[in-house]
Amino acid sequence: MNLTEYKRYLKIFSFLTSEALKLSNNLLSTVSKRSQDISNENYVFLSIYSKIVLHANSILSILPKDEPGQLVGSDNFKLLDFSSVASLTRDIIDADNTLFYLFTEKVDDSEREFRLLLFGLHGYMREKEFISLVGGLGHEKIIAHISTQINIFLEKLERNSFFINLKVEIEQGTQRGKRAKEVFKRKDGRIENVKDALFLTRKEIIKIRGMDLPFFDAMYLFLSSHVHSYLMGTSLVGSSINFDEKSLAFLLKTIINAAFYLCLAMIDTTILFPETEEKLNSESRRILQSIIRGESFIL
């Protein structure tokens, strides 16, 4: 990959990030204006989508804008924190899969409610655990409030028809029942903890979305490796410091994945909030529509 190609992809990613930010502002305005009619779930959507956009903007701020430097002097170095780019890209992928799972996959109302209840319950339980560990001024009052919310979620969950059927499947030992037994940790007949925020696994979500699972697994492994200080996760550090052809080649694949999932998140937003699409650039609309039609994602 030559520098010209990199700069072209950088320009497109910058454009898409700008459009995603525009969509985020429109979404915030929509939710705020209709706050009395908007459910809490839509604020969850806003939070997750905003996380995706912020990650994309952070990637953009990290990406080098100039030519690769030469090993002549420190002024010629063009630094690339590839590990951060990889980590942020993985976070974008995870967040968009969460948006799809919670909001845009076509499931019945009972299962949709179950997914949102599990997601919220997991969040409250993790928050309670964290505050219990770190303590601090007034933490007992905060924990009491969180405990109240947990009980409300648990009561709603126990009345949810999808969850009631899951309990039957646990007794029957079905595959889904085994998954439920793994997710919900019980003590004395009561749910004491939940293992995961999402009932479906990452691979199950990718299959439902009709994506190439082997490619996804390979790319996700590559991105995840750079979150850690393993051999694969540190192998690009040297080439990244000088921003050479090796780091450029790997960077291209990462940018394309970040851009693709950023577009998917934008599509999710326009599906649930059609009014947010009106201010998008015609070129970004074209890109989103090509993805919806199932065309190859070529920037």
Side-chain angles (χ1 to χ4, degrees):
M1 187 191 79
N2 57 37
L3 182 63
T4 301
E5 188 176 3
Y6 167 73
K7 286 189 173 181
R8 182 172 72 86
Y9 277 88
L10 177 62
K11 182 178 180 180
I12 296 173
F13 185 68
S14 176
F15 165 72
L16 289 172
T17 301
S18 175
E19 289 292 284
L21 281 165
K22 188 186 300 181
L23 200 59
S24 181
N25 289 333
N26 291 343
L27 177 59
L28 178 60
S29 175
T30 298
V31 170
S32 298
K33 288 177 182 177
R34 297 165 49 199
S35 59
Q36 67 276 13
D37 302 319
I38 291 292
S39 65
N40 289 334
E41 286 78 12
N42 287 337
Y43 285 101
V44 173
F45 183 96
L46 172 63
S47 298
I48 298 173
Y49 178 75
S50 297
K51 186 175 190 290
I52 292 171
V53 177
L54 288 171
H55 286 338
N57 192 60
S58 293
I59 290 173
L60 192 62
S61 68
I62 293 172
L63 296 176
K65 308 300 188 294
D66 303 313
E67 297 184 17
Q70 301 298 319
L71 290 173
V72 176
S74 60
D75 290 343
N76 290 324
F77 278 69
K78 307 299 180 185
L79 298 179
L80 167 62
D81 182 1
F82 190 87
S83 290
S84 291
V85 173
S87 178
L88 290 166
T89 299
R90 192 188 74 164
D91 286 345
I92 288 175
I93 292 172
D94 284 336
D96 179 67
N97 280 333
T98 299
L99 281 186
F100 171 79
Y101 163 87
L102 288 177
F103 298 100
T104 57
E105 184 189 355
K106 294 181 179 179
V107 296
D108 63 37
D109 292 343
S110 177
E111 183 170 358
R112 177 87 62 213
E113 181 190 47
F114 164 79
R115 292 182 178 189
L116 288 164
L117 287 171
L118 172 60
F119 186 78
L121 191 58
H122 180 272
Y124 277 123
M125 286 183 168
R126 288 295 178 273
E127 185 178 3
K128 181 180 179 180
E129 181 180 4
F130 170 74
I131 293 175
S132 297
L133 288 171
V134 300
L137 183 63
H139 73 281
E140 295 93 348
K141 188 175 181 179
I142 297 173
I143 290 176
H145 171 73
I146 295 173
S147 296
T148 299
Q149 296 303 312
I150 289 174
N151 289 332
I152 292 173
F153 271 71
L154 286 174
E155 289 174 4
K156 289 182 178 179
L157 187 66
E158 292 290 353
R159 296 195 300 267
N160 176 268
S161 59
F162 182 84
F163 181 66
I164 291 171
N165 290 333
L166 272 184
K167 289 194 288 185
V168 174
E169 292 194 40
I170 290 175
E171 296 299 324
Q172 295 173 340
T174 66
Q175 193 65 36
R176 196 163 63 171
K178 291 177 182 177
R179 172 60 178 163
K181 192 173 182 179
E182 179 185 64
V183 171
F184 296 98
K185 304 301 180 183
R186 288 181 174 271
K187 184 178 181 181
D188 299 327
R190 178 179 171 82
I191 296 173
E192 186 178 44
N193 204 350
V194 291
K195 176 186 174 184
D196 299 312
L198 311 186
F199 188 73
L200 297 183
T201 65
R202 186 182 300 113
K203 290 187 178 183
E204 286 173 331
I205 293 173
I206 291 300
K207 286 181 180 178
I208 292 171
R209 303 190 84 170
M211 298 180 183
D212 186 332
L213 184 57
F215 176 79
F216 172 84
D217 280 344
M219 195 67 203
Y220 198 85
L221 173 64
F222 173 73
L223 296 174
S224 298
S225 294
H226 288 83
V227 176
H228 308 288
S229 297
Y230 302 150
L231 180 59
M232 186 176 176
T234 57
S235 61
L236 287 178
V237 171
S239 60
S240 296
I241 288 176
N242 194 41
F243 194 42
D244 63 10
E245 287 296 316
K246 182 180 179 182
S247 59
L248 278 171
F250 282 108
L251 187 60
L252 173 60
K253 295 183 182 297
T254 306
I255 292 174
I256 291 174
N257 273 270
F260 176 66
Y261 280 91
L262 178 63
C263 286
L264 291 182
M266 294 169 70
I267 291 171
D268 288 335
T269 303
T270 58
I271 289 174
L272 290 178
F273 302 90
E275 60 269 48
T276 62
E277 188 180 4
E278 59 186 22
K279 293 184 180 180
L280 286 179
N281 183 285
S282 59
E283 175 61 14
S284 64
R285 291 184 187 181
R286 183 195 67 77
I287 294 173
L288 298 185
Q289 285 300 317
S290 70
I291 294 174
I292 293 173
R293 290 192 298 268
E295 298 174 3
S296 297
F297 185 67
I298 301 176
L299 297 177

